[in-house]
Amino acid sequence: MGAAIAAHLANVGIPSLLLDIVPNKLTPEEEKKGLSLEDKVVRNRIVNSGKVGLLKAKPAPLYHTKDIDLIETGNFEDDFERIAECDWIIEVVVERLDIKRQVLAKVDEYRRKGSIVSSNTSGVSITAMAEGRSEDFRQHFLGTHFFNPPRYMKLLELIPTVDTLPQVIAQMRIFAEDVLGKGVVIAKDTPNFIANRIGTYGLLITFAEMQKTRFGVDEVDLLTGPVLGRPKSATFRTLDIVGIDTFVHVAQNVYDQSTDPEEKAVFEVPTVIRKMVDNGWIGEKSGQGFFKREKTAQGREIFALDIDTMEYRPRRKLSSASFEAAKAAPSLKKKLQTLAYGEDDAAIFVWNVIKQTLLYSARLVGVIADDITAIDDAMKWGFNWDMGPFELWDAIGVRRSVERMKQEGLVIPEFVEVLLTQGETFYTQRGQTVQSFFVGHGYKEVKPDERKIDLRLLKENGHVVFGNKGASLVDLGDGVACLELHSLKQAIGADVVTMMMKAADEVEKNFEALIVSSEASNFSVGANLMMILMEAQDDNWDEIDLAVRQFQNANMRLKYLKKPVVVAPHGLTLGGGAEIALAGSALQMAAETYCGLVEVGVGLIPGGGGNKELLIRMMERLPEGTDLSPVPLVQKAFEVIAMAKVSTSAKEAAELGFLRPTDQITVARDQLLAQAKATSLKLAENFVPRRHKGIKVLGENAAAYLMIGVYGMKKSGYISEHDEKIARHLIRVLTGGQAAGGSVVSEQYLLDLEREAFLSLCGEPKTQARMQYMLQKGKPLRN
C-alpha cells in the first residue's frame, strides 16, 4: 500500500522517498552472488521489490511507467533521517498499534518541525498512535485512510485528533482534492471510521438475511447490485475482490471495540466465513471464495458457493417479479421504490437489508462524522454506491419508510424523528445556487463548490438551451455552453450528430465558447454499432454513407468553429468519441481517460476523421525545416490505429498522439468541467479560428514500405488475411491514396478516402461477423 500511495504521488508529479525494513536473511540467489546483509542491494531488497512491483501490478498504479523515476527508495536503518527532507510523512506499516507507535516515535525524532505526519490505517486509533509524541508532532498529525488502489479509488478519509491544527486539516483537504484528485471526507476517530464501518455492517446484515432465506450468494448479488445503485460486484463478489480475510479483520476491529451489545452481535463474524478463511478460500487472490471459476465442457464457468453444504454449484437465475419490475424501471429512484415496497420474497429481502443499514447510518450521525454528507460521500466514493444511505432514504420516501419501520416494531433514531417534524427529506434544494441538508435541529445551507460544475443541477434550474435524446446544450454561464452527451453509453448516432451541428450554430451566434463533455461514467463508447450493422446487413449503403458523411461534417464544423471548442473527455473515449476529442480546439482530458481509435477491433477503420486528425498530430511532431523523414511518424499513426491501442491514462493518450503539448490534464474528475470552462474562457480572449490547410502525404512509396511490415506479420501468423485487408485500407488513407508522394491534399480528400474505406469494409462478411460478435460478446473476434 505504501508503494501504491507513492505511485499516485508520482502520477501527479510529486517525488517521494519510499522506506521499508531491512531483510534479516539472504535469499538463495543473493547467497550465490556472494552478497552479505551489509550490501545495499540486499538492505533495500524489500523496498525495491515493492517499487518494481508497481510496474507489474494490475490495474496499473502508475499513469505512465516513466513516473516511477519520481520514487526513490531506502530503508529504515540507513535512510530514516532523510525524512527531515520531506513535507509529508506517511506511515503505512502493519495494522498493529504497538508497531505503529514505535515507527512514529522514530519519525518524531527525525522529522522537521511543521512537516505533516499521517498514518494510513483502516481503523487503528489515531489518537492512541499520537500518545507520548511531541506537541508539534501531535499538532501536525492525522489519519489519512486511502482506499485501495489509491490511483483509482476516490475516497480519502481524513481523521484529525483533538490536537490536530485546523489549518493542517484544511491544507490537507485542499491538497488532496485539487492535486491528488480525491474525494475527501472528515471522519471521527472511531473504529473503521466511516465507509468501512457502514459498508462492513451492510455486508454482514446482508449475509445474515441471506441465511434466513432460500437465496444463495449469486441471487443475493443480483438483488444488491446495479438495481440498488451498487456496483456489479454487489455483495459477495465484492468480498472476493477485497479478500475475505481482510474483511474479517475489518469486522473484528469493530467487534473488539464496540460497547453496544446489538452492534457487537452484528459484527461477530459468522462461522461460515471463518471456516472459509481457515480453508484458504479467501477470494480472488486464492482462486476461490464465494465464487470459483472452473473449467467445464462449455469453457470456464463461474460457480457459486452453497453456504449450507460448503460445495460449489452452478449459478442460478433469480425468479422475482419485483426484481424484474425494478430492472425495467426508468430511474434509480423508481428501481429502489419498486424493490423496497414490493411484496415477493426478493423485495422483502431487500427491504430487510435496506432498513437496517439506514437505521444504523442514522444512529452514527455525530458519532463517525459530523453530518450526513460525509457519510453519503464516503459510501459513494469508497464503495461505489450511486446513492449514499441518506440519499437512498430520500429516494424511497423517509416518512413512508419510517411508518413501515414503526409497524414492524423498530426503534427510530431521534435524528430521523426530528427531521420529520421539519421536512420530508434529508436534502433540499433552495434556488439555483443554494442546497441544504438536515443537521439534526434544522437545515444547513451550502453553496455549490466553485471548483465544480453540476450539469444536473443546472438542467433542473432551466439552463438547457435545447436538446434531444442524444445530447443537450447547457448554458454554463459567462458565455460558455456545454454540449452534454447523454445517449445510451454516450453512443454517437444521428441524434448526437444533429445536436453537434445545432450547438455549433448556436454557440457561434450567442456564446463565447463551447465545451463538449458528459456527466456519465464515460465520455463516449463510439458510434452506434448496432445501427451500422443493421444498415450493412440490409445493404443500405446510401444510409451508411450519409451517416458517416454527416459525422465527418459535424467534426469539421467543431474544428473550424469561430469560437473555441474545448473537449473534456473522461473514462472510455473510444472510436467516434476519440474522433470528437480530436476535433476540438483544445483538450481538457481527465487523468483517467481510456482513449483510442478502436474500429479495427470490429473490422473497420475510423470514419469520422480520426485517421486524418491523428496523422496531422503526428506530422506536427516533425520540426519545421528538418531533414528527418516523416515516415516513422506516419508509421506511428498506423500502429496506434491498426493495433486499436487504447491509453490507460491521459498521460499515455498524449504519448499515443491524442493530446498536443498545449492540451491539459485534470486529475480531479469532478473539477473537469470547471477547468474546461476556465480553459475555454482563456482561449476566447484572443481566439483565432483555424484556417483550412493542406496536408502533405507520402504517397505510394511509403504505402509500400508500411505494407512490407503488414505482410511480414501475416506470414508470421500474427494477423489474419482480413486483418491485412483492413491494414491495406488504413495505409491507403494515411499515405494519400493515389496522390503522389510529397503532394499536398485537402482534408476533404482524406475524409473521402476514409469514408470509402469504411463503406467498403462494412460490406465485408468478416467485418459484419466481427461487429455482431462484439455486440453479443463484448469482445473482439479474430477471424
Side-chain angles (χ1 to χ4, degrees):
M1 189 64 178
I5 293 172
H8 191 56
L9 292 170
N11 287 336
V12 297
I14 297 174
S16 63
L17 173 64
L18 184 64
L19 304 181
D20 212 324
I21 60 173
V22 175
N24 56 17
K25 64 179 181 179
L26 297 171
T27 65
E29 292 77 13
E30 289 167 342
E31 288 178 347
K32 286 180 183 179
K33 293 178 181 178
L35 297 171
S36 74
L37 289 174
E38 299 307 312
D39 287 307
K40 193 72 173 178
V41 67
V42 175
R43 296 177 71 78
N44 283 357
R45 183 220 308 151
I46 294 174
V47 70
N48 286 338
S49 175
K51 179 179 175 179
V52 171
L54 295 172
L55 299 175
K56 303 173 184 176
K58 298 293 181 185
L62 293 160
Y63 287 160
H64 197 288
T65 53
K66 67 183 180 184
D67 291 335
I68 201 168
D69 294 337
L70 287 170
I71 303 173
E72 189 179 354
T73 58
N75 65 71
F76 281 2
E77 295 180 14
D78 302 330
D79 306 289
F80 210 94
E81 68 277 3
R82 289 194 58 199
I83 67 171
E85 305 169 19
C86 302
D87 301 308
W88 179 18
I89 302 154
I90 312 171
E91 168 272 305
V92 202
V93 301
V94 66
E95 290 281 82
R96 276 179 49 183
L97 177 60
D98 58 337
I99 295 177
K100 286 181 179 292
R101 291 185 67 172
Q102 289 176 26
V103 172
L104 293 172
K106 197 170 181 181
V107 169
D108 199 2
E109 181 182 351
Y110 288 104
R111 65 179 280 273
R112 186 182 70 251
K113 277 193 173 184
S115 61
I116 292 172
V117 183
S118 70
S119 172
N120 184 72
T121 174
S122 60
V124 178
S125 171
I126 306 301
T127 301
M129 285 187 222
E131 289 177 3
R133 302 281 59 80
S134 67
E135 182 182 17
D136 187 79
F137 179 102
R138 287 183 283 108
Q139 289 176 337
H140 294 84
F141 180 64
L142 70 156
T144 49
H145 182 205
F146 285 86
F147 270 58
N148 194 25
R151 169 184 166 180
Y152 300 95
M153 293 302 292
K154 183 174 180 177
L155 179 61
L156 174 61
E157 293 176 325
L158 297 184
I159 310 99
T161 70
V162 293
D163 296 318
T164 311
L165 293 173
Q167 59 264 36
V168 169
I169 293 296
Q171 177 186 351
M172 286 298 294
R173 179 169 207 155
I174 292 172
F175 172 79
E177 290 174 342
D178 291 359
V179 180
L180 300 182
K182 293 297 174 185
V184 174
V185 297
I186 308 299
K188 291 182 179 291
D189 190 9
T190 56
N192 291 0
F193 312 127
I194 301 175
N196 277 344
R197 179 80 168 265
I198 292 175
T200 304
Y201 179 91
L203 291 166
L204 287 166
I205 285 294
T206 304
F207 188 89
E209 287 300 322
M210 179 183 70
Q211 289 183 301
K212 301 174 186 176
T213 68
R214 60 180 173 82
F215 299 123
V217 296
D218 44 348
E219 294 158 309
V220 169
D221 269 6
L222 290 172
L223 287 171
T224 58
V227 73
L228 280 191
R230 310 280 172 83
K232 287 183 179 179
S233 56
T235 299
F236 296 105
R237 180 81 181 102
T238 294
L239 287 173
D240 278 356
I241 294 170
V242 169
I244 298 167
D245 54 339
T246 301
F247 169 74
V248 168
H249 169 78
V250 174
Q252 190 68 39
N253 194 44
V254 178
Y255 179 84
D256 291 341
Q257 297 184 59
S258 177
T259 57
D260 178 353
E262 185 179 336
E263 181 183 57
K264 208 173 183 72
V266 172
F267 279 90
E268 184 172 3
V269 178
T271 303
V272 171
I273 296 180
R274 289 203 179 277
K275 186 175 181 181
M276 291 175 68
V277 174
D278 291 340
N279 290 348
W281 302 354
I282 56 175
E284 281 207 340
K285 55 190 174 185
S286 68
Q288 65 187 99
F290 287 104
F291 296 95
K292 180 182 180 182
R293 287 184 177 87
E294 292 183 3
K295 287 185 179 179
T296 67
Q298 289 74 37
R300 290 184 66 82
E301 289 188 49
I302 299 176
F303 288 78
L305 179 67
D306 186 316
I307 62 170
D308 293 324
T309 65
M310 294 301 284
E311 295 180 354
Y312 290 90
R313 56 162 176 76
R315 288 183 294 173
R316 299 191 294 242
K317 290 185 177 180
L318 179 66
S319 176
S320 163
S322 293
F323 176 67
E324 295 301 327
K327 283 200 303 180
S331 67
L332 178 56
K333 182 177 179 178
K334 291 293 185 184
K335 292 179 192 295
L336 291 167
Q337 291 174 347
T338 301
L339 265 184
Y341 300 118
E343 296 181 354
D344 62 12
D345 289 347
I348 292 170
F349 172 86
V350 169
W351 166 251
N352 287 337
V353 170
I354 285 178
K355 70 181 182 185
Q356 295 178 81
T357 305
L358 297 182
L359 291 171
Y360 185 67
S361 300
R363 290 197 297 270
L364 290 177
V365 174
V367 177
I368 60 175
D370 283 330
D371 60 60
I372 63 173
T373 61
I375 294 175
D376 279 347
D377 287 342
M379 298 315 299
K380 290 187 290 185
W381 299 336
F383 278 74
N384 293 319
W385 291 8
D386 289 339
M387 289 183 178
F390 299 97
E391 292 171 323
L392 188 153
W393 213 333
D394 280 352
I396 66 171
V398 182
R399 192 174 298 279
R400 180 183 180 186
S401 63
V402 167
E403 287 174 356
R404 180 175 175 183
M405 291 173 187
K406 287 182 177 179
Q407 289 171 4
E408 295 174 0
L410 297 172
V411 177
I412 308 302
E414 183 182 359
F415 178 79
V416 182
E417 294 279 24
V418 175
L419 164 74
L420 291 174
T421 67
Q422 301 190 31
E424 296 292 321
T425 59
F426 288 101
Y427 293 90
T428 68
Q429 182 182 320
R430 300 178 183 177
Q432 298 181 16
T433 59
V434 177
Q435 290 182 298
S436 59
F437 61 91
F438 189 66
V439 292
H441 52 77
Y443 287 89
K444 178 181 178 180
E445 293 187 346
V446 179
K447 290 186 177 181
D449 191 333
E450 292 181 356
R451 298 171 299 170
K452 304 170 186 177
I453 292 175
D454 188 336
L455 280 179
R456 178 192 58 80
L457 189 60
L458 288 172
K459 290 191 290 184
E460 287 176 358
N461 283 281
H463 284 244
V464 176
V465 182
F466 46 67
N468 59 24
K469 289 185 178 180
S472 296
L473 189 69
V474 183
D475 186 348
L476 303 185
D478 301 316
V480 180
C482 176
L483 178 63
E484 180 198 13
L485 309 183
H486 50 64
S487 56
L488 180 63
K489 295 186 178 181
Q490 294 69 56
I492 299 163
D495 49 3
V496 172
V497 173
T498 297
M499 283 300 301
M500 289 170 69
M501 296 296 278
K502 193 173 179 181
D505 293 341
E506 178 67 19
V507 168
E508 216 158 52
K509 293 176 185 175
N510 299 314
F511 288 88
E512 297 302 315
L514 173 67
I515 295 170
V516 185
S517 194
S518 81
E519 281 203 327
S521 299
N522 301 306
F523 177 73
S524 174
V525 296
N528 187 330
L529 190 61
M530 174 67 79
M531 182 275 292
I532 295 171
L533 177 60
M534 291 173 61
E535 298 290 5
Q537 289 175 334
D538 291 342
D539 294 331
N540 291 333
W541 306 115
D542 288 344
E543 292 295 326
I544 298 176
D545 179 77
L546 178 62
V548 176
R549 190 187 300 271
Q550 287 176 334
F551 185 43
Q552 289 181 343
N553 291 342
N555 281 327
M556 289 289 280
R557 183 80 173 94
L558 293 184
K559 180 175 180 178
Y560 290 103
L561 202 69
K562 293 177 182 178
K563 305 290 177 66
V565 177
V566 177
V567 184
H570 53 87
L572 295 178
T573 302
L574 305 176
E579 290 178 303
I580 291 176
L582 289 168
S585 314
L587 282 170
Q588 186 81 40
M589 183 176 279
E592 295 295 343
T593 300
Y594 314 106
C595 185
L597 295 166
V598 296
E599 286 83 355
V600 167
V602 291
L604 299 167
I605 68 167
N611 309 288
K612 165 183 68 73
E613 289 300 327
L614 193 63
L615 175 66
I616 291 171
R617 276 166 164 69
M618 289 298 179
M619 296 296 276
E620 287 174 350
R621 296 182 176 186
L622 198 67
E624 289 188 20
T626 183
D627 293 330
L628 295 173
S629 170
V631 172
L633 295 171
V634 177
Q635 184 174 12
K636 171 79 171 176
F638 168 73
E639 289 172 356
V640 169
I641 301 170
M643 298 174 70
K645 290 185 177 182
V646 177
S647 69
T648 60
S649 67
K651 283 188 177 180
E652 277 199 4
E655 188 173 81
L656 295 178
F658 292 102
L659 278 78
R660 290 185 167 100
T662 53
D663 292 328
Q664 299 183 58
I665 296 173
T666 296
V667 178
R669 167 69 183 85
D670 50 9
Q671 296 182 27
L672 180 65
L673 275 177
Q675 292 185 16
K677 180 181 175 182
T679 297
S680 70
L681 287 171
K682 189 173 182 180
L683 287 174
E685 290 175 2
N686 300 292
F687 186 66
V688 178
R690 288 169 170 164
R691 303 179 108 185
H692 290 268
K693 294 194 299 184
I695 303 167
K696 184 181 288 188
V697 293
L698 304 188
E700 293 182 346
N701 287 341
Y705 171 80
L706 293 175
M707 278 307 304
I708 291 172
V710 172
Y711 178 76
M713 291 187 73
K714 179 173 172 292
K715 292 293 287 183
S716 302
Y718 289 110
I719 63 173
S720 68
E721 186 175 327
H722 192 54
D723 291 327
E724 182 185 31
K725 181 177 290 187
I726 298 166
R728 195 178 295 276
H729 278 289
L730 176 58
I731 289 171
R732 185 169 183 271
V733 173
L734 292 175
T735 57
Q738 295 181 337
S743 60
V744 176
V745 300
S746 68
E747 288 184 73
Q748 189 58 53
Y749 173 81
L750 291 182
L751 287 173
D752 290 341
L753 289 180
E754 270 191 35
R755 195 173 64 259
E756 290 168 11
F758 190 93
L759 285 164
S760 177
L761 288 168
C762 279
E764 294 284 344
K766 288 187 176 180
T767 285
Q768 293 181 17
R770 289 190 181 190
M771 287 193 280
Q772 190 153 354
Y773 192 84
M774 177 62 75
L775 288 167
Q776 291 174 344
K777 305 288 186 179
K779 55 186 178 181
L781 170 69
R782 300 305 303 271
N783 58 358

